[in-house]
Amino acid sequence: MILPISNFRENRNLTFKSEQKEKSGTGSAYDEDTLLTNNFATRTRIGLDKLAKAFSIYPAKGIKGSINSNFYEFLTLGQNVPFIIGSITLISIFNSVNKHFSHNALKKAAKLGNKMALGVLLYALTKEASKVLTTKPIQMLTGIDTEIPYAKVNYFIQEHPNDFDDLTSIEYHKVGESVDFPRWDLLYGDPKKGEARNFRYDKIAQKNGLGTNLNDSDQDVKPVYKEVLVKSKIAKSFSSFLWAVTAVALAFQKPWEDYFNAATLKFWKGKDFLHSLKVLGRSFVRSCKSLYNGTSSAKSPLIKHAGKTLLGLTALTTILGVVNSVHMTKKPQNYNNNVIDPKKESVVC
């Protein structure tokens, strides 16, 4: 049966309202893909959000077989859950059976277990924190922030007839996450905020000597931007893993035993807690010196100078990675704005 035209219009309006309700993102912090400020507060908030959802919402959707589970949620699970569970397992292997040892064996096992736990913790912290040693110098020298994040509004498929609310979720990505398809659109200025369209591209162009007051600075900057993205990703990978390995080597130095003997998390016991923090700082400094100087009793020169070699290799890799990233080969060969000399006569065809 063919519906009257009036009823068709009513049904069309109802559908349109439902779509608008879905796009409004009830309960969502953003209505559209939004560029975020790359600072410590934002990175911490994004990290905590991913961590919380990796242990709650995302696995529940996957187990339920939700059609809205996607690759982003899979990657978030893979980056957080196995690492945390594996770290806890590794720590517990060396510490959970200590009570079954004799007194002398217990002391030795506790030392090894504590260093193993510290090594796992320093590995995780250093691997992430050391990326700044690559990305920040690149940003300072080129004006290109390869880590700038943005919030992506992801629209769900309606799973049940009555699902109209909360049909969006927020995913956190980076503008340069895809080297082939960076989110160029997010780098343009917003006229509503009084921003010039190419103001970010203008700054990068000026920083890299491409010129000022360019007509199409975005077109000149994009090849340079992509080259920096590719090189910085490689530099960041090598550098971060080497710094993580260095942190593990640092965790197994003997001076840490002083901290393990004085360590306490009972912050309500002011004096003891402050004393443990002082010992922590002192142990860290001494452990750094121990790693650098090596063991004086070591017979092999290779073992004695292993710490120096590791530190030197790590620092050199980081520096070379930054140097390679800022050395650009895809700058436009001719970027002179004054193609037409206004002082000379010219004919307009």
Side-chain angles (χ1 to χ4, degrees):
M1 178 178 179
I2 300 175
L3 295 174
I5 293 176
S6 59
N7 289 345
F8 173 78
R9 286 179 178 174
E10 290 173 4
N11 291 336
R12 183 180 65 180
N13 291 336
L14 287 173
T15 303
F16 178 75
K17 289 179 181 178
S18 298
E19 290 174 354
Q20 286 295 99
K21 190 172 184 181
E22 179 179 341
K23 288 183 179 181
S24 66
T26 306
S28 173
Y30 306 95
D31 293 326
E32 59 183 2
D33 293 358
T34 306
L35 195 68
L36 303 176
T37 304
N38 185 14
N39 54 32
F40 179 76
T42 302
R43 293 192 296 269
T44 302
R45 178 168 56 85
I46 291 174
L48 291 175
D49 181 85
K50 284 185 172 182
L51 185 62
K53 290 179 178 177
F55 281 92
S56 58
I57 298 175
Y58 295 161
K61 287 174 64 177
I63 293 172
K64 188 177 66 173
S66 171
I67 57 176
N68 288 310
S69 290
N70 56 31
F71 193 58
Y72 170 83
E73 297 176 0
F74 170 76
L75 286 179
T76 304
L77 280 166
Q79 290 171 352
N80 291 278
V81 176
F83 181 79
I84 293 176
I85 294 178
S87 298
I88 294 173
T89 303
L90 186 61
I91 293 171
S92 63
I93 287 175
F94 287 89
N95 291 277
S96 59
V97 296
N98 288 355
K99 60 184 179 180
H100 300 292
F101 296 155
S102 62
H103 181 69
N104 291 332
L106 174 62
K107 291 178 66 177
K108 294 180 180 179
K111 290 179 181 179
L112 178 60
N114 289 334
K115 289 179 180 179
M116 181 64 69
L118 182 62
V120 171
L121 180 61
L122 289 182
Y123 177 90
L125 294 176
T126 308
K127 186 173 179 295
E128 290 302 315
S130 63
K131 293 177 182 178
V132 178
L133 298 175
T134 301
T135 58
K136 279 302 177 183
I138 292 174
Q139 182 182 356
M140 292 171 62
L141 294 170
T142 66
I144 297 173
D145 186 357
T146 59
E147 299 292 303
I148 187 167
Y150 73 93
K152 182 181 184 297
V153 181
N154 187 42
Y155 298 100
F156 288 157
I157 299 172
Q158 192 176 21
E159 296 189 40
H160 303 287
N162 296 325
D163 285 346
F164 292 107
D165 295 331
D166 297 330
L167 289 178
T168 60
S169 68
I170 300 300
E171 298 178 359
Y172 294 103
H173 297 271
K174 295 175 183 176
V175 170
E177 188 172 289
S178 170
V179 175
D180 295 319
F181 303 102
R183 288 296 304 268
W184 302 123
D185 57 307
L186 295 177
L187 295 178
Y188 289 107
D190 187 357
K192 297 177 182 178
K193 298 179 180 178
E195 298 173 343
R197 175 174 171 76
N198 284 352
F199 83 96
R200 289 189 179 90
Y201 294 104
D202 291 338
K203 290 180 179 178
I204 296 173
Q206 184 177 2
K207 188 81 173 178
N208 293 281
L210 301 180
T212 57
N213 299 321
L214 300 175
N215 293 328
D216 298 302
S217 60
D218 54 338
Q219 300 306 314
D220 292 328
V221 163
K222 286 177 181 178
V224 174
Y225 198 107
K226 291 179 73 172
E227 182 181 1
V228 173
L229 278 180
V230 173
K231 291 180 176 179
S232 66
K233 284 179 182 291
I234 296 173
K236 185 173 59 177
S237 297
F238 278 104
S239 175
S240 62
F241 277 108
L242 282 173
W243 281 112
V245 170
T246 304
V248 174
L250 179 66
F252 278 84
Q253 299 305 308
K254 187 175 179 60
W256 283 113
E257 295 175 9
D258 295 335
Y259 171 67
F260 297 143
N261 293 330
T264 179
L265 296 177
K266 298 178 180 179
F267 58 88
W268 56 89
K269 294 184 177 180
K271 291 183 179 180
D272 293 341
F273 184 71
L274 290 175
H275 176 68
S276 69
L277 292 180
K278 291 179 181 179
V279 177
L280 172 63
R282 188 165 61 244
S283 298
F284 175 76
V285 174
R286 290 177 178 175
S287 295
C288 290
K289 292 179 180 179
S290 175
L291 177 62
Y292 181 80
N293 294 324
T295 305
S296 57
S297 59
K299 297 180 180 179
S300 171
L302 182 63
I303 297 175
K304 184 177 180 179
H305 299 290
K308 291 186 181 74
T309 305
L310 180 59
L311 286 169
L313 178 63
T314 303
L316 182 62
T317 302
T318 304
I319 294 171
L320 290 178
V322 172
V323 171
N324 181 58
S325 298
V326 301
H327 176 67
M328 302 172 199
T329 60
K330 295 185 179 180
K331 286 186 180 181
Q333 295 299 318
N334 297 311
Y335 43 83
N336 184 13
N337 274 342
N338 298 323
V339 178
I340 299 176
D341 190 347
K343 295 181 179 180
K344 295 182 178 181
E345 294 182 359
S346 57
V347 178
V348 179
C349 298

